[in-house]
Amino acid sequence: MMYRILALFATSSVHPALYAVPVRTVGISPRTSFPTVCYLPAVVLQVWDSASSRLRADFHRSAHIASVVQRKAPQNFRSAGLVYPGSYLLSRDLSSDYHRRADVSLPGSEWDRVGPSGYDHQAEYFLGEFALAEGKKGGQFYTPRSVVELLVNMLEPYRGRVLDPCCGSGGMFVQSEKFVKEHQGIINDISIYGQESNQTTWRLCKMNLAIRGIDASQVKWNTEGSFLNDAHRDVKVDYVIANPPFNDSDWSGDLLRSDGRWKYGVPPTSNANFAWIQHFIYHLAPNGQAGFVLAKGALTSKSGGEGDIRRELVKAGLVDCIVNLPAKLFLNTQIPASLWFLSRNRNETDRFRERGGEILFIDARNLGHLINRRTREFSAEDIQLIADTYHQWRNKNGNYHDEAGFCASVSIAKVEELDYVLTPGRYVGLPEEEDDFNFAERFTALKAEFEEQLKEEERLNKLILENLEKIKIN
């Protein structure tokens, strides 16, 4: 079978995410080849369907696109159960003299090489660039790559079941797969389970996984969402990795007051933060771990009984680590955020030491760098620093030590003294600074400077008086 591959090239101001995908995949220079007809992989059109009218208009105008017509998808996309199949035909305006025909085809035998090793990187780039272009709207389906990498690298999901009950475009699953491959693991040792309530976002997720050959059969969609209609009600998993909506007030909490998931307290109807936490815990196996993003307010809030739930979580020995995040990491909100890491079993195991009586706090607010005026991301070094700190603290024979201003291992008794507030800044303190201040030397210098200023003042006052004497009034 032949696969007609996208070969869209920039001719003026096309958004980079809309033309970078195929150029790298097929290795054709945009300076020498301009297509009149080409096919798009479905992931592009999945995002295209949720693009703003402004972005669509810019793309049509810049790329001289006449139409977008759906064509029959290759079998491998149809078998993925996608609503939108995997090939689309774009016809260009042929009147422009700089266009010439350049049909690009790859044989079916090349799919294993180009698909998993080519389209996956391009799709990730496309989703990220589109999310940046769309700003707040883009953040609804896309968790920044560096945040996902940090979560996955800290949890280290080598094998087992992975759940994301608010999976967006599937970034948590993709990064988990990458982690296993990079550490010479077996990808089939991981099974993924997901749920999404937005159908367009669910389509994005299905395609994002399909082009990487990841089994998405257990990634479910329903309009009710994970609280009202849990698609994996009886599933217990080894890892939960998630980025739920921050401070969600529209979660139908009034219909779930007696739900069995609220073992540590009934969450307020006005905020789903602690409903999500308990939903994650409900799905954890006896040795399961969870890592997730949450609004920073959940670390201190006492409204609606949230402080009581947080206290019960700490007393139950579930809270393993809290990471304070810098601002501007997320596209769709300026709300400060944090990472929570929970563990069902914090007793000594083959890999981990006994840590049931303590919590690790990491303050990462000073890490990361700006990639534009509005957006910050972690570097690979930042991610390694945070993850290594957690692993050295958690693992047997780890070489962990507190670092003022960055990390602290704190006893549960100390957390109790501070009324179960989990803000890392309360515990890590301020960074140590070298104090080479010599009071005697500094005082002598300031005294001498002050005496000189008094002498100068006296000289200037005399000069002013002399000048006033020279003024004659008739």
Side-chain angles (χ1 to χ4, degrees), residues 39-113:
Y39 286 79
L40 282 169
V43 66
V44 176
L45 271 298
Q46 296 292 324
V47 178
W48 181 259
D49 280 345
S50 54
S52 66
S53 57
R54 173 190 56 76
L55 197 59
R56 288 187 188 216
D58 289 346
F59 180 60
H60 276 281
R61 181 171 58 254
S62 300
H64 302 277
I65 300 299
S67 61
V68 179
V69 184
Q70 182 175 330
R71 294 300 190 204
K72 186 177 180 180
Q75 176 59 36
N76 60 306
F77 285 100
R78 295 204 304 275
S79 63
L82 300 171
V83 177
Y84 288 150
S87 292
Y88 286 76
L89 176 69
L90 276 72
S91 58
R92 286 177 176 265
D93 179 0
L94 304 183
S95 62
S96 300
D97 57 10
Y98 53 76
H99 286 151
R100 61 187 178 85
R101 188 172 182 81
D103 290 338
V104 180
S105 299
L106 287 177
S109 61
E110 292 292 294
W111 173 255
D112 290 336
R113 180 181 66 80

Side-chain angles (χ1 to χ4, degrees), residues 90-148:
L90 276 72
S91 58
R92 286 177 176 265
D93 179 0
L94 304 183
S95 62
S96 300
D97 57 10
Y98 53 76
H99 286 151
R100 61 187 178 85
R101 188 172 182 81
D103 290 338
V104 180
S105 299
L106 287 177
S109 61
E110 292 292 294
W111 173 255
D112 290 336
R113 180 181 66 80
V114 175
S117 64
Y119 270 135
D120 53 354
H121 299 299
Q122 311 312 328
E124 181 179 8
Y125 173 81
F126 182 91
L127 287 169
E129 290 295 310
F130 174 74
L132 280 173
E134 290 296 278
K136 183 174 182 179
K137 183 179 178 182
Q140 294 173 1
F141 66 83
Y142 181 79
T143 302
R145 177 192 54 80
S146 67
V147 177
V148 180

Side-chain angles (χ1 to χ4, degrees), residues 252-263:
S252 303
D254 55 324
L255 303 177
L256 298 167
R257 306 315 292 159
S258 58
D259 194 279
R261 287 169 288 187
W262 316 147
K263 182 178 177 181

Side-chain angles (χ1 to χ4, degrees), residues 270-417:
S270 58
N271 194 315
N273 287 342
F274 283 88
W276 281 116
I277 293 177
Q278 295 186 82
H279 181 78
F280 300 152
I281 295 171
Y282 169 81
H283 279 288
L284 288 179
N287 291 314
Q289 305 171 62
F292 50 90
V293 187
L294 215 60
K296 186 178 174 181
L299 301 174
T300 59
S301 173
K302 295 183 180 180
S303 62
E306 290 182 332
D308 296 331
I309 300 174
R310 187 173 55 251
R311 180 189 66 234
E312 294 305 312
L313 294 173
V314 172
K315 291 173 69 175
L318 291 166
V319 182
D320 207 34
C321 176
I322 300 291
V323 180
N324 211 358
L325 296 177
K328 298 184 178 181
L329 280 177
F330 297 90
L331 302 171
N332 60 329
T333 181
Q334 294 299 314
I335 297 173
S338 59
L339 300 183
W340 291 56
F341 293 90
L342 310 181
S343 180
R344 278 278 197 186
N345 181 12
R346 301 212 297 151
N347 298 319
E348 183 176 348
T349 66
D350 292 341
R351 290 179 58 197
F352 308 139
R353 68 177 182 86
E354 162 65 40
R355 58 199 191 282
E358 54 192 309
I359 299 173
L360 177 65
F361 292 94
I362 299 176
D363 194 342
R365 286 178 296 175
N366 294 325
L367 300 182
H369 60 278
L370 291 173
I371 58 175
N372 58 45
R373 289 184 301 172
R374 301 189 311 256
T375 311
R376 179 182 296 271
E377 71 176 14
F378 287 126
S379 67
E381 292 75 18
D382 295 331
I383 293 170
Q384 183 174 357
L385 172 62
I386 299 170
D388 283 353
T389 300
Y390 180 48
H391 298 156
Q392 292 295 332
W393 174 83
R394 179 185 66 172
N395 296 352
K396 281 185 174 179
N397 303 317
N399 184 26
Y400 170 83
H401 56 85
D402 289 351
E403 182 179 332
F406 178 64
C407 61
S409 182
V410 179
S411 68
I412 299 299
K414 177 66 174 178
V415 174
E416 183 180 2
E417 287 178 15

Side-chain angles (χ1 to χ4, degrees), residues 237-253:
V237 299
D238 302 287
Y239 303 96
V240 173
I241 313 176
N243 176 19
F246 289 0
N247 303 326
D248 187 11
S249 61
D250 185 22
W251 65 283
S252 303

